[in-house]
């Protein structure tokens, strides 16, 4: 005898109501929205009297946020103009970044809530759209430019970041045209004095004297090269940026330093001279790639004379965990293929090629102050910078520098100078018994 089964009882629960954009923001922020948020759908949340406001202006911005959760989606919406900020200058969005970091803790929605958000947005808003033109391809798609840290791809990455516009950099960096961490006597020290002090610190640590030979790799616009040449040192700089090299050559000629200073548009590995008294690497190691450190430091060792010194100055992490990767914002918009690691790894790699480490120090607070001053310059010259590179790129730089400032202040990243020497055959390091510099 066949038993007939009753059909299953179907639930007739009313679907959860659709959420507007402000509802979604409140849900993801667990109700803690410290800024005033408004959106094109007419919804709003957060204190009405908040000093800082965020306004989502168009559906494309929602797509950016929904299809690339986290910093990448927000950057896309902001750079494209779909997410606007009020209460702060676009050249220095530091206050809003600090507020978001301190007061907003995004929640991971449950599957049910995620389904409700998805239904509320609709599938049309969840179809990816092209990112802003300032964004480069993800790492896995850059293979057309060669393997990561091949010469071709390194050169392309350098051009992406540094060949923006010399005029733009002049506005942001100021007269020193120095795009590396300065050293400040006090927080009130001017940017120019702090950059001069940084060059003096490097010069003194390297023990440079008139008539000596210096190689400055990744020399930028030739700041260290010209500083050394003014003091009688024969200095050669190498950079992979053609725009930097051209600017540096003109500056060298204008100062009458051509007998002592030279900047080459060249990979540092192709510099034919050896036997240098000193090598300065200021802000280059970030671009090298951690797996390339042994070859990098071996090349520098072989380029020094016995008793010669190396000063390696670079951004680092506060740990040596190689599993931590560069965030998508920095990798796609700022430093393609850039890699950071802790100072311990850098010191170990220097030692492993036979150089002797004599001193290291962390200057991370100084980089926070340097970035503060670069943001101030961008604000002061905002109209000129926008005219030079466009509003989207100018906003990108304001965001990148303000975010980096916060990173140095909160010990997310650091800045280490490591001083090493190529000892002689009998172990002579040719250095004084105690530190011989000030600052």
């Amino acid at each position: 005898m066949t038993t007939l089964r009753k059909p299953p009882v179907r639930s007739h629960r009313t679907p959860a109501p659709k959420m507007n954009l402000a509802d979604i923001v409140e849900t993801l922020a667990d109700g803690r929205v410290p800024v005033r948020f408004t959106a094109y759908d007419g919804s709003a949340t957060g204190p009405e009297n908040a000093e800082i406001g965020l306004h989502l202006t168009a559906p494309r911005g929602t797509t950016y946020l929904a299809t690339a959760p986290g910093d990448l989606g927000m950057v896309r919406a902001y750079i494209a103009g779909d997410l606007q900020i009020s209460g702060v200058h676009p050249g220095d969005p530091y206050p809003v970044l600090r507020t978001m970091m301190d007061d907003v803790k995004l929640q991971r929605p449950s599957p049910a809530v995620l389904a409700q958000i998805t239904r509320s947005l609709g599938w049309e808003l969840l179809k990816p759209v092209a990112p802003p033109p300032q964004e480069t391809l993800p790492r896995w798609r850059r293979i057309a430019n060669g393997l990561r840290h091949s010469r071709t791809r390194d050169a392309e990455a350098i051009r992406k970041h540094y060949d923006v516009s010399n005029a733009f950099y002049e506005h942001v960096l100021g007269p020193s045209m120095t795009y590396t961490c300065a050293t400040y006597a006090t927080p009130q020290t001017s940017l120019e004095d702090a950059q001069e002090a940084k060059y003096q610190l490097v010069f003194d640590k390297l023990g440079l004297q008139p008539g000596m030979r210096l190689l400055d790799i990744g020399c930028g616009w030739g700041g260290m090269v010209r500083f050394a040449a003014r003091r009688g040192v024969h200095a050669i700089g190498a950079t992979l940026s053609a725009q930097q090299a051209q600017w540096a050559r003109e500056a060298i000629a204008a100062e009458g330093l051509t007998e002592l200073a030279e900047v080459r548009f060249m990979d540092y590995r192709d510099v034919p001279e050896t036997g240098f008294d000193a090598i300065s690497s200021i802000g280059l190691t970030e671009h090298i790639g951690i797996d390339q450190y042994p070859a990098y430091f071996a090349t520098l060792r072989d380029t020094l004379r016995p008793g010669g010194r190396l000063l390696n100055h670079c951004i680092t992490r506060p740990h040596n965990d190689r599993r931590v990767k560069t965030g998508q914002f920095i990798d796609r918009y700022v430093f393609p293929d850039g890699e950071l690691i802790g100072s311990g790894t850098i010191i170990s790699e220097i030692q492993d090629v036979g150089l002797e480490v004599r001193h290291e120090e962390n200057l991370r607070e100084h980089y926070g102050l340097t970035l503060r001053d670069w943001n101030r310059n961008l604000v002061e010259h905002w109209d000129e910078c926008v005219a030079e590179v466009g509003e989207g790129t100018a906003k990108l730089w304001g965001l990148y520098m303000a975010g980096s400032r916060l990173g140095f202040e909160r010990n997310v990243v650091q800045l280490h100078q490591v001083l090493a020497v190529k000892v002689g055959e009998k172990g002579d390091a040719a250095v004084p018994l105690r530190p011989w510099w000030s600052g």
Side-chain angles (χ1 to χ4, degrees):
M1 178 177 179
T2 303
T3 302
L4 296 177
R5 291 186 178 181
K6 294 182 180 179
V9 178
R10 299 188 181 275
S11 172
H12 296 289
R13 287 180 299 178
T14 304
K18 284 191 174 183
M19 307 167 75
N20 60 38
L21 292 171
D23 291 335
I24 294 173
V25 169
E26 281 190 354
T27 299
L28 296 177
D30 197 25
R32 296 189 292 269
V33 184
V35 300
R36 184 63 175 172
F37 174 81
T38 57
Y40 58 85
D41 67 352
S43 63
T45 187
E48 293 186 11
N49 61 347
E51 294 183 2
I52 297 171
L54 298 177
H55 181 56
L56 192 58
T57 66
R60 181 181 61 177
T62 302
T63 299
Y64 282 143
L65 294 170
T67 57
D71 61 351
L72 184 61
M74 294 191 71
V75 168
R76 286 173 173 173
Y78 177 66
I79 298 303
D82 299 334
L83 182 63
Q84 298 180 354
I85 302 175
S86 60
V88 298
H89 193 284
D92 188 9
Y94 174 81
V96 68
L97 297 181
R98 183 181 58 194
T99 297
M100 298 293 283
M101 176 175 281
D102 290 347
D103 301 331
V104 177
K105 306 299 179 186
L106 293 179
Q107 305 297 308
R108 189 180 191 89
S110 67
V113 172
L114 184 59
Q116 185 183 6
I117 291 173
T118 300
R119 188 171 60 253
S120 299
L121 293 177
W123 290 111
E124 280 301 312
L125 289 182
L126 298 177
K127 295 178 180 178
V129 295
Q134 292 84 359
E135 182 173 320
T136 192
L137 295 172
R139 284 189 177 186
W140 65 273
R141 292 187 59 192
R142 296 177 203 154
I143 193 65
N145 292 327
L147 296 174
R148 188 151 55 107
H149 299 302
S150 65
R151 291 188 178 221
T152 301
R153 189 154 150 181
D154 279 351
E156 179 62 27
I158 292 297
R159 284 193 292 271
K160 168 73 177 178
H161 188 78
Y162 295 101
D163 284 353
V164 176
S165 157
N166 282 336
F168 173 80
Y169 279 111
E170 287 173 351
H171 292 310
V172 174
L173 304 181
S176 75
M177 280 296 275
T178 300
Y179 187 34
T180 48
C181 175
T183 56
Y184 288 73
T186 73
Q188 291 73 42
T189 300
S190 71
L191 176 61
E192 287 309 302
D193 286 346
Q195 290 292 12
E196 186 82 357
K198 184 268 300 298
Y199 285 133
Q200 187 68 59
L201 179 63
V202 174
F203 188 92
D204 291 344
K205 283 182 174 180
L206 290 172
L208 290 168
Q209 300 292 333
M212 285 186 168
R213 298 168 62 232
L214 168 71
L215 174 63
D216 184 41
I217 59 175
C219 69
W221 291 271
M224 185 67 209
V225 169
R226 288 180 287 120
F227 183 94
R230 293 185 207 114
R231 289 153 182 81
V233 172
H234 296 270
I236 295 173
T239 174
L240 286 175
S241 167
Q243 291 191 24
Q244 287 181 336
Q246 181 61 33
W247 192 99
R249 290 167 185 156
E250 292 173 1
I252 287 169
E255 289 191 50
L257 298 172
T258 53
E259 294 298 315
L260 291 169
E262 179 186 0
V263 167
R264 301 172 182 172
F265 175 42
M266 175 184 287
D267 191 299
Y268 74 94
R269 291 164 288 194
D270 294 331
V271 174
E273 295 91 342
T274 59
F276 286 94
D277 298 290
I279 297 175
S280 51
S281 175
I282 307 175
L284 174 63
T285 315
E286 299 90 332
H287 302 287
I288 295 296
I290 300 169
D291 290 340
Q292 308 304 314
Y293 284 179
Y296 166 66
F297 287 116
T299 297
L300 303 189
R301 175 203 62 205
D302 294 344
T303 307
L304 286 169
R305 65 165 175 81
R309 299 176 193 171
L310 164 67
L311 191 289
N312 199 83
H313 165 125
C314 72
I315 301 170
T316 61
R317 295 193 188 279
H319 56 75
N320 294 279
D321 188 347
R322 296 192 182 203
R323 295 171 298 177
V324 178
K325 303 301 181 183
T326 303
Q328 291 193 79
F329 166 47
I330 295 296
D331 184 61
R332 301 273 194 99
Y333 282 90
V334 185
F335 289 115
D337 291 339
E339 293 184 61
L340 301 180
I341 194 64
S343 58
T345 297
I346 291 171
I347 289 171
S348 293
E349 297 286 0
I350 291 174
Q351 292 171 329
D352 286 348
V353 301
L355 294 170
E356 182 183 29
V357 173
R358 303 296 303 207
H359 185 269
E360 75 84 29
E361 65 176 317
N362 183 1
L363 300 172
R364 72 174 177 87
E365 293 89 353
H366 295 262
Y367 218 155
L369 295 171
T370 306
L371 288 152
R372 174 202 66 183
D373 290 345
W374 288 342
N375 271 123
R376 285 178 179 175
N377 284 345
L378 180 56
V379 170
E380 183 178 347
H381 299 285
W382 181 252
D383 291 341
E384 299 97 317
C385 288
V386 170
E388 186 66 27
V389 300
E391 184 176 10
T393 299
K395 288 166 64 177
L396 165 62
W397 278 81
L399 183 66
Y400 144 61
M401 293 190 297
S404 296
R405 173 187 171 187
L406 198 57
F408 283 104
E409 291 176 348
R410 302 296 173 87
N411 198 27
V412 176
V413 282
Q414 301 176 344
L415 188 289
H416 280 263
Q417 283 192 353
V418 180
L419 177 66
V421 62
K422 181 178 179 177
V423 297
E425 290 183 2
K426 297 182 179 181
D428 183 10
V431 297
L433 291 176
R434 297 297 299 152
W436 52 92
W437 62 88
S438 61

